[in-house]
Amino acid sequence: MEKDTRDKWDSPTQFVLACVSYAVGLGNVWRFPYLCQMHGGGGFLIPYLLMLLLEGVPLFYLELAIGQKMRLGSIGAWTAINPYLGGLGLASVVTSVYLCLYYNIINAWSFWYLFHSFQDALPWAACPINANRTGPIEECERATPTQYFFYRETLNISSSIEENGGIHTGQALCFLLAWLITYLFIVKGVKSTGKVVYFTATFPYVVLLIYLIRGITLHGAINGVKYMFTPRMEQLANPTTWINAATQIFFSLGLGFGSLIAFASYNQYHNNFERQAIVVSLINSGTSIFSCIVTFAIYGFKATVNYENCLERTRTLLLNAFSLAEDSITMDNIFEWVTKLNTTYPEQIADLQDKLEVCNLERELNTAVEGTGLAFIVYSEAIKNMPLPQLWSVLYFFMLLLLGMGSMLGNVTAIITPLQDFKVVSHMSHELLNGVVCLLCFLLGLGFTTTSGNYWFAMFNDYGATFSLLFIVLIEVTIISYYYGIKRFEKDIEDMLGHRPNWYWKIMWAGVSPLLLIGLFIFYIVNYIQGGTPTYQAWNKDLGALVTPIYFRAMGPLKNEKMNASQWV
């Protein structure tokens, strides 16, 4: 009777859109293009699509089947299989809590940039004037306006993880706003989430389509698109290419957090989750490829602008140094002139070596950036050079916000659904329980709005969920295949769908997917051990650039150095 009174999605479409909104997130925009750039352009699609078939779709199917059959959150579902397995569900909940603590800070940054986009001139378009009104701020001059705005204006970042200058008020308010909206989206459980996903799952595609149309018409965009679709097949011989393809599929689909189990638990018992698992997985991967085309068009525009600016600086330098006619050197013949002058006036050219830049379009395209560097710096750099930059800035950061909020719906649902299954809290209203969870996550996440918060964000992002998720999903598929039993699982699926899963699914669950997960797990452990002392990227305001210190100083004193208690982390 309790299961019959459980909340349900109004339609299968709502469930599909909820899964799409959850799975299609920021990683599709800022991680996949980076991997394509690093691992052979279009050639990376071969291992990526292969891993989708061998790992992504089967494991996605498995989690949906568990949730729909048990009609419980992650803790309840695994406890129903065996009381001793409740810890597996608890591990998923804890991992989701880790993610919720820091994920919403990205949405806070998106809000910050969105609000600053409604200005006559974008604040990251030029360096601000110093206090004496004598020129630009030195830190900004050493860096770039977009870097300065992100690291100084947005984060007000400290020079290391050990230094903390207190909470950034603007970021704290944006963080609060992000959690308030998250709460409003989930306030009545699936009844409110089911309505919200119609917008969060579809509008980002509208923005991506607009950006695609605009992107491919930008000057030099074709250079980026050609770069993406030109396969470098030698990368297929690199094991890291295959490891990164498998990892991207795994994390992009959101496996192991318990969100998919929670979402599926609100389905009708005979809902066709098999077809939905395939559809959502294909939409997720298709979105990655689609956003990659958009990103490389922007890459091409940015790289071409930087390349031509470099050529113009070189042209001006040569004209002034050799007193040449203004129209003698053009963009088309500048390299010929450098060769000619080097032959005719080798000593003068040698004197200019410190000022002459190496202008190379291929090198500009090879500059690989991921994560916040791509989303908030590279894109901002490109947007400021577009006509009507305020319009494109608003569209872009609103899209980022919807992608992040869509993922947050799944993350918070993965925490709330198992809690609602406990009798202790089952009497609490949706509004109260959801409010308590959101408030606690907000308070615990305030540390990410401090001046050193970005370093803690990087630490949580790098180390908070990777090992645990691989371990959780490996245990899940092993338990279903070898403890619960494939045949018993087949009967459950037949009871729900009216037919048994074919040989493909059974081979993946019993053999291929577990072996891939074990391989990934071993790779990460070996890579972590061989990686040496953990490091992080810190902003050096004196250099106006990122440096790479080690976490060692945050773990203990160096030799011959005293350290007081306040310096320990």
Side-chain angles (χ1 to χ4, degrees):
M1 289 295 295
E2 289 178 2
K3 290 184 179 180
D4 290 337
T5 59
R6 187 177 185 83
D7 289 340
K8 296 182 181 66
W9 301 106
D10 290 344
S11 67
T13 302
Q14 281 191 357
F15 170 66
V16 170
L17 290 176
C19 289
V20 169
S21 185
Y22 166 66
V24 176
L26 298 170
N28 299 74
V29 175
W30 71 25
R31 175 69 176 166
F32 184 79
Y34 166 79
L35 293 176
C36 275
Q37 194 173 13
M38 289 292 291
H39 297 298
F44 181 72
L45 296 178
I46 296 173
Y48 177 77
L49 294 175
L50 189 59
M51 290 301 170
L52 175 67
L53 293 175
L54 299 180
E55 173 195 41
V57 182
L59 297 176
F60 198 88
Y61 181 119
L62 181 137
E63 290 204 351
L64 295 188
I66 293 168
Q68 186 164 310
K69 171 63 182 176
M70 301 304 176
R71 301 180 73 188
L72 293 164
S74 56
I75 297 175
W78 292 109
T79 302
I81 293 175
N82 187 303
Y84 291 105
L85 293 175
L88 181 59
L90 181 61
S92 293
V93 172
V94 171
T95 306
S96 293
V97 170
Y98 274 135
L99 185 65
C100 281
L101 291 183
Y102 73 87
Y103 198 90
N104 236 0
I105 194 64
I106 305 173
N107 293 327
W109 297 340
S110 297
F111 269 124
W112 178 267
Y113 271 79
L114 181 63
F115 295 151
H116 280 83
S117 298
F118 294 97
Q119 298 186 25
D120 292 336
L122 293 178
W124 56 84
C127 288
I129 303 300
N130 60 30
N132 297 328
R133 315 293 296 177
T134 56
I137 293 175
E138 289 185 9
E139 181 183 356
C140 183
E141 280 193 303
R142 296 189 192 102
T144 64
T146 49
Q147 287 177 317
Y148 178 83
F149 184 81
F150 181 67
Y151 290 110
R152 183 56 54 217
E153 300 289 344
T154 305
L155 304 179
N156 193 24
I157 198 166
S158 60
S159 59
S160 76
I161 195 172
E162 297 167 316
E163 297 178 20
N164 184 15
I167 289 175
H168 185 317
T169 305
Q171 281 304 310
L173 291 174
C174 289
F175 190 54
L176 174 62
L177 180 60
W179 271 111
L180 282 174
I181 292 180
T182 301
Y183 172 68
L184 293 175
F185 281 0
I186 62 165
V187 62
K188 294 186 180 297
V190 293
K191 295 300 181 185
S192 57
T193 302
K195 304 294 190 299
V196 170
V197 294
Y198 281 107
F199 186 64
T200 60
T202 57
F203 190 75
Y205 290 98
V206 176
V207 178
L208 278 175
L209 182 60
I210 294 171
Y211 252 91
L212 177 65
I213 296 170
R214 181 67 187 102
I216 59 177
T217 61
L218 289 171
H219 175 57
I222 193 65
N223 294 325
V225 177
K226 281 181 181 177
Y227 183 89
M228 173 191 168
F229 283 105
T230 303
R232 299 186 294 281
M233 304 306 288
E234 67 276 6
Q235 281 291 329
L236 295 180
N238 183 359
T240 307
T241 300
W242 294 85
I243 293 292
N244 282 335
T247 304
Q248 175 64 14
I249 284 292
F250 181 88
F251 291 112
S252 178
L253 288 172
L255 302 169
F257 287 105
S259 302
L260 300 175
I261 293 175
F263 279 157
S265 72
Y266 299 113
N267 279 335
Q268 298 288 347
Y269 187 72
H270 297 292
N271 174 65
N272 190 350
F273 62 86
E274 180 178 86
R275 181 174 59 200
Q276 292 165 341
I278 296 171
V279 168
V280 174
S281 299
L282 292 177
I283 289 175
N284 178 65
S285 295
T287 304
S288 293
I289 297 170
F290 182 41
S291 65
C292 195
I293 297 172
V294 176
T295 299
F296 271 88
I298 301 296
Y299 264 151
F301 167 65
K302 178 179 176 294
T304 302
V305 169
N306 289 345
Y307 172 66
E308 291 182 351
N309 287 341
C310 177
L311 291 179
E312 181 58 31
R313 289 191 297 271
T314 303
R315 174 179 171 274
T316 302
L317 178 65
L318 294 177
L319 289 174
N320 294 334
F322 294 93
S323 301
L324 299 170
E326 183 70 25
D327 58 351
S328 59
I329 302 179
T330 64
M331 293 287 192
D332 297 326
N333 65 14
I334 191 168
F335 292 110
E336 296 173 12
W337 268 97
V338 171
T339 304
K340 180 180 177 181
L341 291 170
N342 189 40
T343 304
T344 312
Y345 306 102
E347 293 182 2
Q348 289 90 326
I349 288 290
D351 293 336
L352 294 175
Q353 285 303 317
D354 293 337
K355 297 180 181 179
L356 274 175
E357 301 175 61
V358 178
C359 303
N360 189 301
L361 180 60
E362 187 75 13
R363 188 183 63 180
E364 291 287 346
L365 290 168
N366 276 332
T367 305
V369 183
E370 65 171 327
T372 54
L374 172 60
F376 295 100
I377 297 177
V378 173
Y379 259 94
S380 297
E381 185 78 31
I383 287 171
K384 75 175 187 179
N385 292 317
M386 294 181 183
L388 297 174
Q390 292 84 357
L391 171 64
W392 300 109
S393 182
V394 168
L395 281 175
Y396 173 70
F397 290 109
F398 189 56
M399 179 193 70
L400 274 193
L401 191 58
L402 289 180
L403 290 173
M405 284 296 178
S407 296
M408 277 301 298
L409 296 180
N411 300 334
V412 179
T413 301
I415 300 170
I416 291 171
T417 301
L419 293 178
Q420 289 174 331
D421 294 333
F422 287 109
K423 291 183 179 180
V424 179
V425 296
S426 60
H427 65 279
M428 294 176 64
S429 65
H430 285 304
E431 293 85 349
L432 179 58
L433 178 60
N434 295 350
V436 169
V437 170
C438 288
L439 178 61
L440 288 175
C441 287
F442 165 71
L443 293 175
L444 291 172
L446 271 176
F448 296 107
T449 66
T450 63
T451 55
S452 62
N454 188 59
Y455 303 133
W456 291 103
F457 167 83
M459 183 187 289
F460 270 68
N461 194 39
D462 291 340
Y463 303 108
T466 307
F467 290 110
S468 54
L469 285 178
L470 288 170
F471 186 71
I472 287 167
V473 179
L474 176 59
I475 297 300
E476 283 181 355
V477 70
T478 303
I479 286 170
I480 292 298
S481 298
Y482 299 104
Y483 174 77
Y484 190 77
I486 289 289
K487 290 188 176 180
R488 187 178 172 187
F489 195 49
E490 278 185 275
K491 291 179 181 178
D492 291 341
I493 293 172
E494 184 179 24
D495 188 38
M496 290 184 283
L497 301 182
H499 65 84
R500 296 195 174 199
N502 60 36
W503 58 269
Y504 161 73
W505 302 109
K506 291 182 281 187
I507 290 174
M508 294 302 108
W509 293 330
V512 176
S513 294
L515 288 175
L516 278 173
L517 289 171
I518 291 171
L520 282 176
F521 197 68
I522 292 173
F523 169 80
Y524 270 101
I525 292 175
V526 172
N527 192 50
Y528 180 76
I529 293 172
Q530 293 180 343
T533 306
T535 60
Y536 65 100
Q537 288 195 315
W539 180 253
N540 187 310
K541 65 179 182 180
D542 295 325
L543 298 176
L546 291 169
V547 294
T548 309
I550 60 174
Y551 280 114
F552 180 79
R553 287 180 61 84
M555 298 175 183
L558 296 173
K559 186 178 179 181
N560 299 325
E561 180 182 13
K562 294 182 180 179
M563 204 173 199
N564 59 50
S566 65
Q567 290 177 284
W568 287 87
V569 176

